[in-house]
Amino acid sequence: MNPKVIDENRQGTTLKTIATSGNTKKLFIESYGCQMNFSDSEIVASILAQQGYDTTDALEDADLVLVNTCSIRDKAEQTVRKRLEKYNAVKKINPGMKVGVLGCMAERLKSKFLEEEKIVDLVVGPDAYKDLPNLLSEVNAGRDAVNVLLSKDETYGDIAPVRLGGNGVSAFVSITRGCDNMCTFCVVPFTRGRERSRDPQSIVSEVNDLGQKGYKEITLLGQNVDSYLWYGGGLKKDFKNASAIEQASAMDFAQLLEMVARAQPKMRIRFSTSNPQDMTADVLYAMAKHDNICNYIHLPVQSGSTRILKEMNRQHTREEYMTLIDTVRSILPDCGISQDMISGFPTETEQDHQDTLSLMDYVQYDFGFMFMYSERPGTMAARKMTDDVPEEVKKRRLNDIIIRQRAHSAYRTKQFVGKTVEVLIEKESKKSAAHWSGRTPQNTVVVFEKDQYQPGDFVMVHIDDCTSATLIGTPLHYSKTQND
Ligand code: SAH
Ligand code: F3S
C-alpha cells in the first residue's frame, strides 16, 4: 500500500512514548510491513491504554511487548523472527515480560507460533484486537492465548487511534480492511480476510478530529481503496443482498474522497493503494475538482506482460493499464504515479521481463517499490505453479527494473527544476539539521533551508536543483493553503 508501502528491509519502527495519563503498565509495540500495520498498532495502543498501558520506547522496561507483523514476503517473516530472538534475550532478564505477535504472521501461523516460538505468549490476528483485554487476562493467568478469527464486519471504526511515532503533521486513516482480489502471489486475502468498508461518518469524524489537533495531511488507507463501498456494513461481496434503500444510498470511493476533501478543505488528502482494475474516472475527476486532494496515485502493476498479469490473476491487460495511465494524464496532467513491480513470477520469460521494462518506459513512474517474487505458502501460485525462475535471474531482472526506475525518477525530478511548488513541511532533513524536508502534492521529497518555517507549514518553494529522488529549493513564502 501507498508510496510508502514500507519495505520489510527497513527497520521496524518503534512507536514513541505517548503522554502518560496515569497508566502504570508499559507497552512496547513495534510495527513491520505496510501502513495498515502502523495504523492498526495505533488502534491496539488505544485499546490497551484503556487497560492501563502506556507505550514505551525502551524494550527493557516493557511489561508487554507486541510485534505487528508482515507476511508479504519470506524476508519480512525472517525479520520478525530475528526480533523475537531479541525479545527472548530480554525476557531472560525480565521474566515477567509478556510477548505477543499481532497481524499477518499471527494470522498465517496461528497457534503454530506458540509451539515453534516458545517465547510467544499471545497470538492475535488483525480482526481480533478488541479481544486483547480478555486475551491478556488469560496470559496473566499463566495460559497461552490465541485469537485469529477473521471478521466480516470489524473495521475498528469506533476506536479513536492513539497517534504514535508520527510527526504530528501526517496521519493514516483506514477506510477498508481485507482484500477480495486473490492475486495468485499474495497472502493478504488469507491473512486479512474479506474486504469490508468502514462507515463514512466514522471516517469523517476521525479526519475532523485530526484537523482539530493540527494535522495537515491524511492518507486514506486500504488494500484497494477504489473498491470502497459503504452500504450499511458487512462484506463487499454481500452488497448484492443489501436492501434496496441500502443499495440506493451506497457510497463509493469517489464520493467518500469528495466528502473528506470538503470536510477539511485545508488538509491535504492522499489515498493508497489504488488497484488499476477498480480505479474510476470519477476518482480522477474528484481529484481534479478539489485542490486539497493530492495529485498522486500509487498504482501497482506488478508486471508489464499481459500473460503474466493473467497468471497473477490481475484483472487487466498491459494495454488496459496503459489506457488508464493515458486517462490519468489527460484528466490530471501533473499527477505523480508510482508502481509496485515483481520480478521473476513463475514462468516469467526474458520477453515478459522486457515487456515490464517497456511498460515502465511508457509510464515513466515517479517512484517504485520493486520486489523479487517470494513464494507464499497457501497462495494459488504456490499451489499451482512452480517457483521456476532461478534466484540469480530474479535478482538480475530486479536490478534491471531498479536501474530503469532510477532513470525515470531522475527524469521526473528534473521536470520540477525552475518551477515553484507547494511543500508541506514534515520534519528535519536526514542529511542536514539546517534544512526541512517535506513533499510536493505529487509526493516528491523537497529539502530547503529552515528559515522561519516550522513542520506543518505549507510553503511555496522554488526548485533550484535535484538529485534522482529529491528536489532542492529555496522557500519563497507561505502558501495560500496556509493563509486562507
Ligand atoms: N493491495 C496492493 C498491494 C499489497 S502488497 C495492490 O493492490 O497491489 C504490496 C506489494 O507487495 C504488492 O503490490 C506486490 O508488489 C508485493 N508483493 C505481494 N506479494 C508478493 C510476493 N509473494 N512476492 C513478492 N512481492 C509481493
Ligand atoms: Fe494482494 Fe492483490 Fe489484494 S496484491 S492485497 S490480493 S489486490
Side-chain angles (χ1 to χ4, degrees), residues 192 210 287 437 477 480:
R192 289 192 160 267
L210 287 162
M287 293 169 77
S437 167
H477 53 79
K480 258 181 93 204

Side-chain angles (χ1 to χ4, degrees), residues 72-73 185 223 275 300 302 314 340 371-372 374 376:
I72 203 84
R73 285 168 288 274
F185 53 81
Q223 296 299 338
N275 192 307
Q302 320 295 0
R314 303 287 288 185
D340 284 350
F371 317 98
M372 278 195 290
S374 164
R376 307 312 293 133

Side-chain angles (χ1 to χ4, degrees), residues 255-299:
Q255 291 164 320
L256 176 77
L257 196 54
E258 287 214 50
M259 188 165 140
V260 170
R262 274 198 211 100
Q264 288 294 326
K266 290 188 187 176
M267 259 183 154
R268 275 188 177 182
I269 315 297
R270 297 186 183 276
F271 54 89
S272 184
T273 300
S274 292
N275 192 307
Q277 78 192 50
D278 293 311
M279 174 138 235
T280 61
D282 282 352
V283 170
L284 302 173
Y285 288 123
M287 293 169 77
K289 190 158 138 200
H290 297 273
D291 282 348
N292 61 327
I293 305 177
C294 291
N295 280 353
Y296 168 64
I297 306 172
H298 181 52
L299 202 58

Side-chain angles (χ1 to χ4, degrees), residues 8 71-78 108 183-187 190 342-347 371-389 391 394:
E8 73 272 16
S71 285
I72 203 84
R73 285 168 288 274
D74 184 55
K75 216 163 158 191
E77 294 201 350
Q78 296 314 325
R108 198 177 82 70
C183 301
T184 56
F185 53 81
C186 186
V187 78
F190 302 95
I342 297 177
S343 75
F345 184 77
T347 76
F371 317 98
M372 278 195 290
Y373 173 66
S374 164
E375 186 178 80
R376 307 312 293 133
T379 57
M380 273 317 252
R383 283 159 52 199
K384 305 266 181 215
M385 302 181 88
T386 310
D387 185 5
D388 59 359
V389 179
E391 188 78 1
K394 283 184 190 170

Side-chain angles (χ1 to χ4, degrees), residues 199-266:
D199 182 346
Q201 293 306 332
S202 85
I203 296 171
V204 170
S205 312
E206 189 175 331
V207 171
N208 285 340
D209 182 55
L210 287 162
Q212 265 171 11
K213 289 183 173 139
Y215 282 82
K216 301 293 169 62
E217 178 179 77
I218 54 132
T219 303
L220 303 175
L221 279 188
Q223 296 299 338
N224 191 1
V225 284
D226 297 87
S227 110
Y228 177 88
L229 184 67
W230 173 257
Y231 63 93
L235 295 177
K236 165 101 183 264
K237 74 171 173 59
D238 292 338
F239 177 63
K240 54 185 182 307
N241 303 325
S243 71
I245 293 177
E246 282 176 336
Q247 290 196 0
S249 58
M251 178 177 277
D252 67 12
F253 181 59
Q255 291 164 320
L256 176 77
L257 196 54
E258 287 214 50
M259 188 165 140
V260 170
R262 274 198 211 100
Q264 288 294 326
K266 290 188 187 176

